[in-house]
Amino acid sequence: MKRVILSLLVAIFALSASFEAKAWGTVAHHAAVYIAEQNLTPTTKKEIRKYLNHSLTYYATWMDHYRATIPYEPLDWWHNVAVDDKNNIVELDGHSGYVQSTRIINEMKDYKNLSDSINALNIKLLTHMIVDLHCPSHNRYLAPPFDWKKPQWAPGYSQGLKFKYKGKKQGYHGFWDNSPAIFHKGWTCEKFNEEFGNLTKKEVKKICKGTLTDWVKQSVKDNRASFKYIVAGEDFAKIPKEQHDEMVALADQQLQRAGYRLAHVLNNIFDPAKSKKK
């Protein structure tokens, strides 16, 4: 019996590790969603609890866990936003986190007439996709032809870029997925909220100004800087401190924006009158 239990624990650990390697990392997703959860209105929290069995943060990485299971395979394509060389959004026939987030936000305007299961699914998807759209490695800088099955990376913006960080081999995508955990080792959700969740109402209003389209265009523009300081084969940790700090600030900024903007989206859905007053 002990061997069976041990084998089961090993299997669970291995499965958990594989989950953590996907999307904007377990740490980042939970931290951003935790910040969002602290900024939901009481009405929004009450409405969400009608459809979810646990806290919003509990479902921060739900989309990663189910992306490879039937009937959720299409979700595998919904973690990114693609843009051209002028940062114009490329919709890729709907295989886009931006396109699907926009669809769900519009659909949820009538959430009271949707089934509980649809509302639960939509909340889980928005919780993940809004955060992913802010991550540097989830912005796809493409060159024509814009084919979602065979994306062509724009020159100098390949996510296959290989480099090092403190002597260890890194890939662009994996590095930025886990950047909050790398830059702030050991931080808990509460610590991230303590550092990044203390904005004034005026600052929050500024971050949340505009539409999802505006936010995405701002993010893909800002995130292009992440390629400027990474040189293939070289050690990112050895770049000048000022530039290294700029990249840490970029990761922090995007996580903070993601948290507050997710809260803004959910408040607009479930408590629009109160949201407009904030």
Side-chain angles (χ1 to χ4, degrees), residues 1-205:
M1 176 62 72
K2 289 183 179 180
R3 289 184 178 180
V4 173
I5 294 175
L6 179 60
S7 297
L8 181 60
L9 290 174
V10 171
I12 292 173
F13 176 80
L15 186 60
S16 299
S18 68
F19 284 155
E20 291 180 359
K22 298 179 179 179
W24 196 357
T26 299
V27 171
H29 271 286
H30 281 88
V33 177
Y34 185 82
I35 291 173
E37 200 157 20
Q38 311 316 304
N39 287 276
L40 299 179
T41 69
T43 297
T44 298
K45 288 182 179 180
K46 184 178 179 180
E47 289 296 291
I48 288 177
R49 285 307 298 267
K50 291 179 181 179
Y51 308 109
L52 301 183
N53 295 324
H54 301 281
S55 70
L56 194 66
T57 306
Y58 179 89
Y59 294 98
T61 56
W62 178 92
M63 190 168 163
D64 283 333
H65 296 2
Y66 284 86
R67 65 196 292 179
T69 62
I70 299 173
Y72 299 112
E73 295 98 322
L75 303 186
D76 199 39
W77 296 92
W78 295 7
H79 299 257
N80 307 282
V81 59
V83 295
D84 62 17
D85 62 345
K86 295 182 180 179
N87 292 331
N88 295 314
I89 295 170
V90 180
E91 297 192 357
L92 297 180
D93 297 325
H95 298 278
S96 160
Y98 163 76
V99 173
Q100 297 302 328
S101 293
T102 301
R103 174 187 63 78
I104 291 173
I105 289 171
N106 288 329
E107 183 176 85
M108 291 296 282
K109 291 177 181 179
D110 192 36
Y111 80 92
K112 291 183 179 179
N113 292 317
L114 299 176
S115 68
D116 288 358
S117 60
I118 290 296
N119 284 331
L121 177 61
N122 283 345
I123 293 169
K124 294 172 187 176
L125 294 178
L126 281 179
T127 296
H128 194 88
M129 290 190 294
I130 296 297
V131 176
D132 260 351
L133 292 177
H134 289 80
C135 179
S137 57
H138 288 263
N139 297 161
R140 308 171 81 185
Y141 301 95
L142 303 183
F146 301 113
D147 184 348
W148 67 273
K149 294 180 181 179
K150 296 180 180 180
Q152 301 294 317
W153 300 106
Y157 292 96
S158 172
Q159 292 200 10
L161 180 63
K162 302 294 183 181
F163 60 102
K164 297 178 182 179
Y165 185 71
K166 295 184 178 179
K168 295 182 179 180
K169 294 182 179 179
Q170 299 285 339
Y172 176 88
H173 192 115
F175 179 75
W176 287 111
D177 277 358
N178 295 297
S179 57
I182 292 173
F183 295 145
H184 306 297
K185 189 174 182 179
W187 281 24
T188 62
C189 288
E190 290 82 2
K191 178 62 175 178
F192 276 103
N193 184 59
E194 180 183 331
E195 295 295 326
F196 305 138
N198 54 5
L199 299 185
T200 65
K201 289 184 178 181
K202 185 176 181 180
E203 290 171 330
V204 174
K205 187 175 182 179

